[in-house]
Amino acid sequence: MYSYFLKPLLDTCIALAAFIFLLPVFMLNFVFLWITNSSSPFFTQSRPGKNGTIFKIIKFKTMNDKKDVHGNLLPDNQRLTKVGKFLRKTSMDELPQLINVIKGDMSMVGPRPLLPEYIALYTPEQAKRHKVKPGITGWAQVNGRNAISWEEKFQLDVWYAEHQSFLLDVKIIFKTFKKVFVSEGISQQGQATTTAFKGSSNE
């Protein structure tokens, strides 16, 4: 009942209300990023959603497109702008994903949508994270975010997919506010965000 009817309804209502309320902040970020990046302030990328269905995720662009002498993009930590660093620290780079929630691609709470190329690397157990819609925040995000290993993230994601409930979602949302306030788990040590997933055998 909750997963199939109430949760989608709540997602749409909460995301729409949050988008309207945060519209001034949204527009301010838009202007600052347009100036600092000298290009579109948005970053879009294909991500797998529920049952592996591909959609386009929308985020604020926190890194520039600077390249080395060979035409390759510089490492993430060299392309992360000052404005982008602030947006990541406050999690405001995630605001445009409210549009994904309104469209029905995502939920407010669920496993984070990762890269499509990771799907082939999942174990059958890890693949269970796609039984539910991906979310702006999730059980793994409030229990370590990028500071924990991929194995730990997937274990938390699968646990959430199999124990999804209204009370759990409320708990995750409240814990998310706390994590954002104290800026915990934003990145792995020595990384701008986190390392790439290369399969469980390489953990």
Side-chain angles (χ1 to χ4, degrees):
M1 179 69 176
Y2 174 68
S3 300
Y4 291 99
F5 177 72
L6 185 57
K7 183 176 173 72
L9 180 62
L10 286 174
D11 280 335
T12 302
C13 293
I14 293 172
L16 189 57
F19 183 79
I20 294 172
F21 179 75
L22 295 170
L23 189 58
V25 178
F26 191 97
M27 295 306 298
L28 193 62
N29 289 339
F30 180 95
V31 172
F32 275 122
L33 288 173
W34 186 277
I35 295 172
T36 57
N37 291 342
S38 300
S39 62
S40 172
F42 296 113
F43 169 80
T44 61
Q45 192 176 51
S46 295
R47 297 289 175 92
K50 185 176 180 181
N51 299 320
T53 302
I54 302 297
F55 70 97
K56 289 286 187 180
I57 196 173
I58 311 168
K59 299 180 69 173
F60 277 128
K61 191 175 182 180
T62 57
M63 293 187 288
N64 58 41
D65 298 317
K66 291 183 178 180
K67 300 179 180 179
D68 60 24
V69 292
H70 303 292
N72 300 312
L73 287 172
L74 293 173
D76 289 356
N77 60 355
Q78 294 182 37
R79 295 189 294 118
L80 184 62
T81 64
K82 290 182 178 180
V83 174
K85 188 174 182 179
F86 172 76
L87 292 183
R88 287 192 178 187
K89 183 177 181 180
T90 57
S91 294
M92 285 196 291
D93 59 316
E94 312 285 0
L95 284 182
Q97 288 168 54
L98 290 170
I99 298 172
N100 287 122
V101 177
I102 295 169
K103 289 173 60 182
D105 298 324
M106 293 177 62
S107 174
M108 293 299 295
V109 179
R112 285 296 296 159
L114 303 175
L115 297 174
E117 51 264 38
Y118 290 177
I119 294 178
L121 303 176
Y122 293 152
T123 65
E125 180 69 13
Q126 292 168 347
K128 291 179 181 179
R129 68 191 305 277
H130 288 295
K131 290 169 61 177
V132 297
K133 284 184 181 180
I136 293 178
T137 186
W139 191 230
Q141 279 58 56
V142 298
N143 285 284
R145 198 174 175 180
N146 288 326
I148 59 177
S149 70
W150 281 110
E151 289 287 352
E152 291 172 303
K153 287 181 190 177
F154 293 146
Q155 288 173 5
L156 292 166
D157 286 343
V158 172
W159 185 90
Y160 172 82
E162 296 180 337
H163 296 83
Q164 186 175 242
S165 70
F166 174 72
L167 290 179
L168 179 58
D169 282 356
V170 171
K171 179 180 180 179
I172 290 170
I173 289 173
F174 275 104
K175 290 189 72 173
T176 296
F177 285 123
K178 178 185 176 183
K179 291 288 183 179
V180 170
F181 183 75
V182 298
S183 302
E184 286 184 354
I186 296 172
S187 61
Q188 286 186 342
Q189 188 173 1
Q191 302 291 328
T193 51
T194 187
T195 56
F197 177 58
K198 298 181 180 179
S200 296
S201 60
N202 294 310
E203 278 292 300

